Amino acid sequence: MANLLEVENLQKHFPVRGGLLRRVVAHVKAVDGVSFSLAAGKTLGLVGESGCGKSTLGRAILQLQRPTGGKVWLDGQELTSLDRHRLLAMRREMQIIFQDPFASLSPRRTVAQTIREPLDVHRTGTPAEREQRVAELLQVVGLRPQVMDRYPHEFSGGQRQRIGIARALALNPRLIVADEPVSALDVSVRAQVLNLIARLQREHGIAFLFISHDLSVVEHVSDHVGVMYLGKLVELAPARQLYREPRHPYSQALLSAVPVPDPQRKSARIVLTGDVPSPMNPPPGCPFHKRCPKVMDICARSVPPVIDVGSAGQPHRVACHLYT
């Protein structure tokens, strides 16, 4: 299956200014050399602690924040070199679902105006056809067309997120970045929204980059899972393989914290010591070595290469000196 999205050595560094002249004194390396691919109609789950660069990576892929370095290809078109006008045309193919379903919707716009905005920007169809498209999208996400004249404050959190999903679907995109799309919702509503996303993917063949810190949710929706730490992708594998046999010590620690719904089954919790280093001043060598329970001398001196430890045609990439 051909890859829809290709990301190569993507970097996003934010300048830190100081002094009277506000000169650049350092850089926050939010995303630091991430590479992966995503096939059409598949979901890549992205997990990691808060502040590891997941959301910044998603925004850099969509060019909402221009990368510092690296390349992004969407269906063969390189995005980082496009000017504003050519990038606008490519935005039909890629959309985003934001984390907060209330903050991402303007309180001054009705549901119809919110969902119709992408159609208006790209001048898709006649005004009557756009109104019809809004009504269709509301039905697709499980809302009645009669609500299109209401405002966001008149809806529950789950309904607002459905409106955000409808807006993301308006232009029939091929790629959607879902940035913590259910973290602000109640547990019962989460299941409804996740099932809606899964159904839309089956029916429309959309590729999803699903960003979340909830490992149980990521396991439920993902075909592949990537684990990020301090701006780097430390492990990438098929979801079942990663959850059954995580290779990187950081992945093992994350998965050991997932609650097991079986009182008879005891799980060995791996407790990491120390604090997450600052992305403004990351440690030399492996970024995880100061917290790693399996640290070796080489970890503090050398950046680990990415090794494929998979088998039977299932690539399983891990950046760890344990496998060199």
Side-chain angles (χ1 to χ4, degrees):
M1 183 180 295
N3 291 322
L4 174 67
L5 177 69
E6 294 276 356
V7 178
E8 181 182 305
N9 196 32
L10 195 65
Q11 302 170 358
K12 180 57 183 177
H13 300 171
F14 295 97
V16 178
R17 299 181 183 274
L20 294 175
L21 300 179
R22 306 296 296 165
R23 291 175 176 168
V24 176
V25 296
H27 286 86
V28 174
K29 298 178 180 180
V31 177
D32 195 22
V34 171
S35 301
F36 66 88
S37 59
L38 177 60
K42 298 296 183 180
T43 297
L44 172 64
L46 204 59
V47 300
E49 293 171 286
S50 296
C52 70
K54 305 186 300 296
S55 296
T56 302
L57 174 60
R59 290 169 181 264
I61 289 171
L62 298 181
Q63 308 302 301
L64 296 176
Q65 294 174 332
R66 285 293 198 167
T68 305
K71 301 290 184 181
V72 179
W73 287 271
L74 183 67
D75 199 20
Q77 175 66 63
E78 210 283 305
L79 303 180
T80 62
S81 60
L82 297 182
D83 59 30
R84 184 169 61 88
H85 297 290
R86 289 190 295 166
L87 185 59
L88 178 62
M90 287 298 297
R91 292 202 185 281
R92 298 177 62 96
E93 305 294 329
M94 51 186 185
Q95 293 291 313
I96 185 170
I97 301 171
F98 292 98
Q99 177 178 356
D100 190 335
F102 191 78
S104 63
L105 303 178
S106 172
R108 297 182 178 88
R109 289 176 173 266
T110 64
V111 169
Q113 291 171 329
T114 296
I115 299 175
R116 196 180 61 234
E117 184 177 13
L119 303 172
D120 293 337
V121 169
H122 291 272
R123 300 174 183 175
T124 302
T126 65
E129 289 172 339
R130 295 173 194 171
E131 290 296 323
Q132 179 61 32
R133 176 64 173 160
V134 170
E136 293 173 356
L137 288 167
L138 285 171
Q139 290 180 319
V140 166
V141 299
L143 296 174
R144 295 179 294 110
Q146 290 82 354
V147 305
M148 64 173 58
D149 292 326
R150 296 183 184 176
Y151 289 86
H153 71 271
E154 301 179 68
F155 296 89
S156 67
Q159 289 173 324
R160 285 195 292 264
Q161 194 62 290
R162 288 171 183 264
I163 294 168
I165 294 173
R167 178 177 59 186
L169 293 172
L171 295 170
N172 293 317
R174 302 182 65 190
L175 169 69
I176 291 180
V177 174
D179 186 7
E180 300 271 13
V182 296
S183 64
L185 305 178
D186 293 335
V187 174
S188 59
V189 180
R190 286 185 189 186
Q192 297 174 14
V193 174
L194 290 173
N195 290 334
L196 170 63
I197 290 175
R199 177 172 63 81
L200 293 174
Q201 184 176 43
R202 289 194 304 270
E203 294 176 355
H204 302 280
I206 303 169
F208 277 88
L209 178 62
F210 193 95
I211 300 169
S212 179
H213 63 270
D214 190 328
L215 292 164
S216 58
V217 168
V218 169
E219 182 182 19
H220 176 70
V221 301
S222 302
D223 298 291
H224 288 74
V225 175
V227 181
M228 283 194 71
Y229 184 81
L230 212 63
K232 295 182 179 292
L233 200 61
V234 297
E235 188 164 6
L236 178 63
R240 289 185 179 179
Q241 188 170 331
L242 188 140
Y243 277 78
R244 184 176 65 248
E245 191 179 3
R247 296 298 188 93
H248 198 281
Y250 179 62
S251 305
Q252 295 168 358
L254 284 182
L255 291 173
S256 74
V258 178
V260 178
D262 184 354
Q264 302 300 323
R265 183 179 165 189
K266 303 284 186 184
S267 59
R269 178 80 163 87
I270 301 174
V271 180
L272 299 178
T273 60
D275 298 324
V276 180
S278 169
M280 189 168 61
N281 186 26
C286 174
F288 186 59
H289 81 265
K290 290 191 174 182
R291 304 176 69 199
C292 182
K294 301 179 181 179
V295 64
M296 302 179 292
D297 291 341
I298 192 176
C299 300
R301 302 193 308 267
S302 172
V303 177
V306 178
I307 304 295
D308 188 352
V309 295
S311 59
Q314 293 286 337
H316 187 150
R317 292 162 46 192
V318 60
C320 183
H321 284 298
L322 289 172
Y323 305 99
T324 59

